[in-house]
Amino acid sequence: MTYGSSLAAAPAIREPLHAPVAHLVRGGVIEGIHYGSVVVLAADGTVELQIGDIEAAFYPRSALKPVQAVAMLRAGLPLDGELLSLTAASHSGEERHLAGTRRILELAGLPDDRLRNVPDLPFDPVVRETWVREGRLPSQLAQNCSGKHAAMLYTAHLNGWSLDDYLDPAHPLQQAIAEIVEDLTGQAIAQVTVDGCGAPLFSVSLHGLARAAARITTAAPGTPEARVADAMREHAEMASGSGRDVAALMRAVPGLLAKDGFEGVQVAALPDGRAVAVKIADGADRARVPVAAAALARAGVDPAALAEFAGVPLLGGGAVVGHIRAVRALEALPAHDVCA
């Protein structure tokens, strides 16, 4: 791969120097600590806050999907609206997600069996339970990345590229995606591996991921970046699912683009370029949401709009006895009792 001269060097591959980002507080005692890293960017792109290690190489997982969608649009993918949102989705496996994936394949003139993602059950627990009760088996359509894979096939088909090997990192499609990953993050890729769905996964830094999100949300109207942002914000449930926290977050904060990823990754950006990115070291999803909400508050989002995301309740005997909350250094709130 040839890196452009304007790119920063690839982030260092090292053990990340994570720091405490969330406390699990039960009955006034800190019962557990989640470590991780957080970056908050100001509208001008400067780092307003950093906790932990924002420059080490890491895998953004599905938080990189908006960037992949931008790359496919630049390569000629003619999707907008719900289907473009699905292209950038980690969907729940609802019927609308399956129907949307089939529609993308129909537009490409391709059957379902051309998908090369790993068969799976629907991501949403309720949908998955119904699926199993009905005796349905794991499928590539139900797997949460099927929209992205269908769009990859469509993009490859439109460009006359081979289809059977569209997941090969050396394939023209994946080379085009890697180029845009570097363009939007502003840095060379540190490492390439395979994501859970089978697609190539590119390692950048947490700082680079936040930069990419900011570039997407600040792009001029009509550009591939703006089209992706518009589609995901306008069709948040298609990019995730009913009841998913990322969809609720985008509804709660006007203009916000948000995307989660496995292993405790979250990125979010506002139209003026303010952006946050979060990595929870142990991959715990329960810490991702309150830490991301606290980071957005530090970026200037009204805390009242984030109230429902600020603390995951802990139960004892069926009653709330504590919360998982971001550390005070991140929240930057006045000192108060630890169990408040």
Side-chain angles (χ1 to χ4, degrees), residues 80-165:
D80 282 295
E82 288 189 346
L83 295 184
L84 179 54
S85 184
L86 183 61
T87 295
S90 300
H91 66 69
S92 291
E94 300 167 27
E95 285 302 324
R96 60 177 157 185
H97 300 131
L98 276 60
T101 299
R102 291 191 186 98
R103 180 59 182 151
I104 295 173
L105 290 170
E106 288 171 358
L107 289 170
L110 298 171
D112 297 359
D113 62 10
R114 299 309 293 267
L115 292 169
R116 292 291 180 265
N117 56 316
V118 177
D120 201 356
L121 295 171
F123 178 78
D124 182 87
V126 175
V127 179
R128 182 169 61 246
E129 182 180 343
T130 301
W131 188 282
V132 172
R133 190 168 57 247
E134 294 173 349
R136 302 169 76 177
L137 298 175
S139 79
Q140 289 159 314
L141 278 175
Q143 197 269 337
N144 76 89
C145 302
S146 64
K148 177 182 77 174
H149 280 256
M152 285 181 171
L153 280 168
Y154 193 6
T155 305
H157 173 73
L158 289 168
N159 284 278
W161 298 329
S162 57
L163 301 182
D164 289 341
D165 61 342

Side-chain angles (χ1 to χ4, degrees), residues 6-325:
S6 63
L7 292 175
I13 299 174
R14 61 177 183 238
E15 180 178 347
L17 301 174
H18 292 305
V21 293
H23 287 157
L24 187 159
V25 181
R26 185 185 297 271
V29 173
I30 296 177
E31 184 178 28
I33 301 174
H34 288 290
Y35 284 71
S37 295
V38 180
V39 60
V40 177
L41 299 184
D44 64 0
T46 58
V47 175
E48 187 169 284
L49 173 73
Q50 68 179 81
I51 294 177
D53 194 343
I54 68 170
E55 302 296 354
F58 92 119
Y59 290 118
R61 303 300 299 269
S62 287
L64 200 61
K65 283 178 178 173
V67 177
Q68 293 170 309
V70 169
M72 286 186 269
L73 290 184
R74 290 194 189 183
L77 183 69
L79 298 180
D80 282 295
E82 288 189 346
L83 295 184
L84 179 54
S85 184
L86 183 61
T87 295
S90 300
H91 66 69
S92 291
E94 300 167 27
E95 285 302 324
R96 60 177 157 185
H97 300 131
L98 276 60
T101 299
R102 291 191 186 98
R103 180 59 182 151
I104 295 173
L105 290 170
E106 288 171 358
L107 289 170
L110 298 171
D112 297 359
D113 62 10
R114 299 309 293 267
L115 292 169
R116 292 291 180 265
N117 56 316
V118 177
D120 201 356
L121 295 171
F123 178 78
D124 182 87
V126 175
V127 179
R128 182 169 61 246
E129 182 180 343
T130 301
W131 188 282
V132 172
R133 190 168 57 247
E134 294 173 349
R136 302 169 76 177
L137 298 175
S139 79
Q140 289 159 314
L141 278 175
Q143 197 269 337
N144 76 89
C145 302
S146 64
K148 177 182 77 174
H149 280 256
M152 285 181 171
L153 280 168
Y154 193 6
T155 305
H157 173 73
L158 289 168
N159 284 278
W161 298 329
S162 57
L163 301 182
D164 289 341
D165 61 342
Y166 75 92
L167 296 182
D168 187 330
H171 190 279
L173 170 67
Q174 302 303 337
Q175 289 288 294
I177 290 173
E179 180 180 344
I180 304 309
V181 169
E182 293 182 333
D183 178 25
L184 294 183
T185 62
Q187 62 188 168
I189 291 167
Q191 186 71 286
V192 181
T193 188
V194 182
D195 209 340
C197 65
L201 178 60
F202 306 104
S203 179
V204 292
S205 69
L206 197 66
H207 190 180
L209 178 63
R211 277 196 300 264
R215 289 193 61 186
I216 289 172
T217 58
T218 59
T223 60
E225 292 87 342
R227 288 166 59 192
V228 169
D230 289 344
M232 293 181 68
R233 289 183 296 221
E234 293 170 11
H235 305 281
E237 284 77 13
M238 190 61 94
S240 54
S242 302
R244 292 276 291 279
D245 56 73
V246 282
L249 191 60
M250 284 193 276
R251 288 195 301 269
V253 182
L256 184 72
L257 175 69
K259 185 69 187 76
D260 57 344
F262 279 151
E263 297 301 324
V265 181
Q266 178 79 57
V267 66
L270 292 154
D272 64 0
R274 287 173 291 160
V276 306
V278 171
K279 164 63 181 174
I280 306 300
D282 62 1
D285 209 46
R286 66 182 184 179
R288 171 182 57 83
V289 177
V291 172
L296 284 168
R298 282 297 301 265
V301 174
D302 182 0
L306 300 165
E308 67 177 291
F309 310 101
V312 177
L314 298 176
L315 302 181
V320 175
V321 295
H323 293 83
I324 300 172
R325 292 191 182 278

